[in-house]
Amino acid sequence: MSTRVGRIGIWLVLVVCCLTLAGWEAFAGNWPRFRGPNGTGTAPDLDVPIRWNERENILWKTALPGPGNSSPVVWGDHIFLQSSTPDARERMLLCLSARDGKILWSRTVPGAPFKKLNPRNTHASSTPAADGERVYTIFWDGNGQTVHAYDFKGTPLWTHHLGTFTSQHGAGASPIVYDGRLYINNDQDGSAAVICLDAATGRQLWEAKRPAFRACYSAPFMLERPGEPPVLIVASTAGITAYNPSNGSEVWNFTWSFPGMALRTVGSPLYHQGLVFACAGDGSGLRHMIAVKADGRGDVSKTHLAWENRDKSLLPYVPTILARGGHLYYITDTIGLAVCMEAKTGKVVWSERLEGPVTASPVLIDGKVYAINEAGTVYVFAADPAGFKLLAKNSVDEPVRASPAVADNRLFIRGANHLYCIAKK
């Protein structure tokens, strides 16, 4: 009997170890939304190459059937991203194999060209979100937006119409999924709301109206802190708000005040060491960055601003910032200025001019920042407050405006014509 019990005990230990390892690998192998796990832009991977060329460390590249700024998201062997046909008459959700880049399936919906589209935007700029069971994407047909859900085999599951979308620049907001619910920052010209849908059915669970200015494109994230219930963080021209994810009630709100014209958020907010950071800007070159304490209740506009900066030569607008070890790292849009800043104070530690313009948000991998400019040049530099240190400079030889993804020690870069997989063979 004791021998049998011992064998059962050993078998249970092995099962638990395997399940634990499988769970860790599932986390390490997934980049489930825009900017990866919880929108941080930070990957747990430790073995992504810093150098590559045509002969080395490009595992595969796949031609894409049309343009788009939609970033890739990864779940297991599945890569999802949007494209549109060159004539903008159709929108597509593509599913590719992470192993070899083969297009596994595509689903299309009708669309139409939009005459006022920003030159840097596309008809397929929304990044999907995935949860291992379903993939969710927002298609914009040139007039209205509709959320579509598919299983991983491409079977359509449900749709939810969000209504007409109004903006001089076109659409591009990305959904996030958390604990069986889908959250969308549906911010546009003259209308703004946060919408929560049931991920299984597409049924709307709640809607929270927000003050509307000009369309913002920042994606929300879920703030989880020990001993505190999770809150949904949303940033836009209206400010930064923490919502109860269950019912949409407001936990705290910081109203954004601008000395002149109201600026819009494109890059997404980020949490680090008790502060929520958000950036706003405008095509005129104006910039504004704020750091807000994340422990308030009610209206915290007069009490919780930790610091702010309006230096338009130093701050990003479209690219999202990164955080590591008490410091922020980012790259600016116009000239491609790499910056290291103290998170608690906003004090600039160092800056180094690279080459712009830059639209894609950088990613942080094993203490290294990978920043890509619009020409497709990839700068890899150390996330080190001691000083700027360029580790490598590479190229994918085509324009890049989509933010990259990282999963299973592979870097996925969506160019104007191809999806690249950078990895050691």
Side-chain angles (χ1 to χ4, degrees), residues 30-287:
N30 297 329
W31 192 265
R33 51 153 289 174
F34 178 69
R35 305 288 297 138
N38 212 21
T40 63
T42 300
D45 304 74
L46 300 175
D47 201 24
V48 176
I50 65 170
R51 294 182 179 87
W52 59 86
N53 53 47
E54 293 179 352
R55 299 176 302 278
E56 183 183 17
N57 291 335
I58 297 181
L59 198 60
W60 51 259
K61 78 173 184 178
T62 298
L64 299 175
N69 288 347
S70 172
S71 297
V73 300
V74 186
W75 194 286
D77 184 44
H78 298 78
I79 304 172
F80 303 101
L81 54 80
Q82 274 194 28
S83 285
S84 69
T85 53
D87 64 2
R89 296 295 178 183
E90 287 185 324
R91 314 289 191 256
M92 292 174 279
L93 176 66
L94 305 177
C95 177
L96 296 85
S97 168
R99 188 182 307 109
D100 55 18
K102 178 183 177 181
I103 296 179
L104 302 176
W105 51 261
S106 66
R107 298 294 177 263
T108 62
V109 299
F114 187 67
K115 295 180 181 179
K116 295 183 180 180
L117 194 68
N118 185 288
R120 280 187 165 87
N121 200 0
T122 70
H123 292 91
S125 293
S126 177
T127 297
D131 59 9
E133 185 176 357
R134 293 173 288 269
V135 57
Y136 314 88
T137 196
I138 303 174
F139 285 124
W140 174 55
D141 64 10
N143 178 44
Q145 295 186 111
T146 304
V147 187
H148 291 248
Y150 302 88
D151 67 18
F152 275 29
K153 294 182 180 180
T155 305
L157 300 176
W158 55 259
T159 62
H160 181 93
H161 190 52
L162 296 175
T164 301
F165 182 84
T166 304
S167 171
Q168 60 179 320
H169 295 309
S174 301
I176 72 165
V177 60
Y178 176 88
D179 196 23
R181 296 185 174 200
L182 198 70
Y183 299 93
I184 301 162
N185 182 20
N186 188 22
D187 193 288
Q188 50 187 296
D189 294 354
S191 174
V194 182
I195 296 171
C196 174
L197 306 179
D198 180 88
T201 65
R203 180 173 63 90
Q204 182 168 305
L205 301 178
W206 56 259
E207 180 182 46
K209 297 289 187 180
R210 292 175 63 81
F213 296 87
R214 294 181 295 166
C216 293
Y217 302 91
S218 56
F221 72 89
M222 199 66 67
L223 175 56
E224 296 178 294
R225 299 192 298 170
E228 297 284 341
V231 292
L232 180 71
I233 301 295
V234 177
S236 69
T237 305
I240 303 174
T241 309
Y243 294 97
N244 181 329
S246 298
N247 57 24
S249 61
E250 187 177 290
V251 179
W252 58 261
N253 177 72
F254 178 89
T255 299
W256 207 325
S257 298
F258 301 95
M261 65 183 297
L263 305 180
R264 74 170 90 229
T265 63
V266 178
S268 299
L270 183 75
Y271 173 82
H272 189 59
Q273 295 191 340
L275 300 174
V276 177
F277 304 91
C279 298
D282 182 76
S284 65
L286 293 175
R287 302 287 185 266

Side-chain angles (χ1 to χ4, degrees), residues 234-389:
V234 177
S236 69
T237 305
I240 303 174
T241 309
Y243 294 97
N244 181 329
S246 298
N247 57 24
S249 61
E250 187 177 290
V251 179
W252 58 261
N253 177 72
F254 178 89
T255 299
W256 207 325
S257 298
F258 301 95
M261 65 183 297
L263 305 180
R264 74 170 90 229
T265 63
V266 178
S268 299
L270 183 75
Y271 173 82
H272 189 59
Q273 295 191 340
L275 300 174
V276 177
F277 304 91
C279 298
D282 182 76
S284 65
L286 293 175
R287 302 287 185 266
H288 195 175
M289 185 174 181
I290 55 175
V292 176
K293 300 173 188 176
D295 60 352
R297 290 292 185 273
D299 187 351
V300 300
S301 306
K302 296 181 179 180
T303 59
H304 278 58
L305 179 66
W307 56 262
E308 63 181 329
N309 191 321
R310 297 190 182 97
D311 190 339
K312 60 183 180 181
S313 67
L314 195 67
L315 301 176
Y317 173 29
V318 176
T320 300
I321 61 179
L322 300 164
R324 181 175 187 261
H327 291 84
L328 307 179
Y329 299 90
Y330 59 84
I331 188 163
T332 64
D333 312 53
T334 307
I335 63 174
L337 188 73
V339 180
C340 172
M341 177 184 285
E342 287 184 355
K344 290 288 188 182
T345 66
K347 176 184 177 182
V348 173
V349 179
W350 55 255
S351 64
E352 181 77 18
R353 182 165 181 172
L354 302 178
E355 184 181 3
V358 178
T359 300
S361 295
V363 291
L364 181 63
I365 311 170
D366 190 26
K368 299 176 283 288
V369 177
Y370 290 64
I372 312 173
N373 67 16
E374 289 189 0
T377 304
V378 185
Y379 296 90
V380 184
F381 58 89
D384 187 348
F388 177 80
K389 182 180 180 181

